[in-house]
Amino acid sequence: MRRPERISLKRQIARLLDDPDATELLLRTLAHRWRHHGPDTATRQRLKPTILDVWQAFHTAADPDAARNPPAKLPTVAAEHRAAVERVLSSPRSIRDVLMRVRDMLDAGQLRTGSADPVHNGIAYLSRRNTPPHHQQFYRARGN
């Protein structure tokens, strides 16, 4: 009986990384496992520089200085969302654009369902908050 040839670990890694589908499967499997069964703190600290290096390699062009100085923290979807919200809230023009988009959606009837109630309530709150006091009495009298 003939035994299968043993393949070195480096050769296995090279074979895996030569196949884009296999590489994607590896990365997805790793992400899934870490979400559900994260590594212990010591392993996490040991792998953090490697993860940052992978992120840097994926997101930037080959730059020797960038490779030696990866970002201090991996960006997350939540962090990117918070940054986008902060950018909008810090820009009067962005706020105006968002409100005009909401107005257009209201005019088009896209916010008529019950799920739009928080939007309506928010707009009503902002309208009352930014109106002169004598107009606020008018809104209260109308029940808005």
Side-chain angles (χ1 to χ4, degrees):
M1 180 174 1
R2 186 171 176 214
R3 290 186 169 188
E5 180 185 340
R6 287 190 58 97
I7 301 173
S8 71
L9 180 60
K10 286 185 180 182
R11 179 68 187 123
Q12 290 177 40
I13 292 171
R15 185 181 292 179
L16 178 70
L17 296 179
D18 285 343
D19 181 352
D21 293 333
T23 303
E24 181 183 3
L25 179 61
L26 170 67
L27 293 172
R28 288 184 181 278
T29 302
L30 182 61
H32 176 79
R33 285 187 183 177
W34 279 27
R35 274 191 204 102
H36 295 90
H37 311 287
D40 60 68
T41 305
T43 303
R44 187 179 301 271
Q45 288 302 326
R46 185 170 56 84
L47 294 178
K48 188 174 181 178
T50 303
I51 294 168
L52 291 172
D53 196 28
V54 169
W55 183 90
Q56 187 77 25
F58 187 81
H59 284 87
T60 61
D63 178 4
D65 291 331
R68 284 193 294 275
N69 302 305
K73 186 176 179 184
L74 278 175
T76 63
V77 173
E80 289 173 357
H81 177 74
R82 282 193 300 273
V85 169
E86 287 171 12
R87 273 195 302 276
V88 169
L89 293 178
S90 65
S91 166
R93 182 172 180 213
S94 294
I95 293 172
R96 186 190 71 224
D97 292 344
V98 168
L99 290 174
M100 289 174 66
R101 175 74 177 125
V102 170
R103 183 200 62 198
D104 293 344
M105 292 173 75
L106 284 168
D107 291 345
Q110 296 173 343
L111 297 177
R112 294 192 189 278
T113 63
S115 64
D117 288 341
V119 174
H120 293 134
N121 293 337
I123 292 170
Y125 170 77
L126 290 173
S127 298
R128 284 193 303 270
R129 185 171 177 198
N130 294 317
T131 54
H134 64 279
H135 286 113
Q136 288 181 4
Q137 292 171 356
F138 172 76
Y139 281 116
R140 279 193 217 110
R142 291 186 57 207
N144 291 333

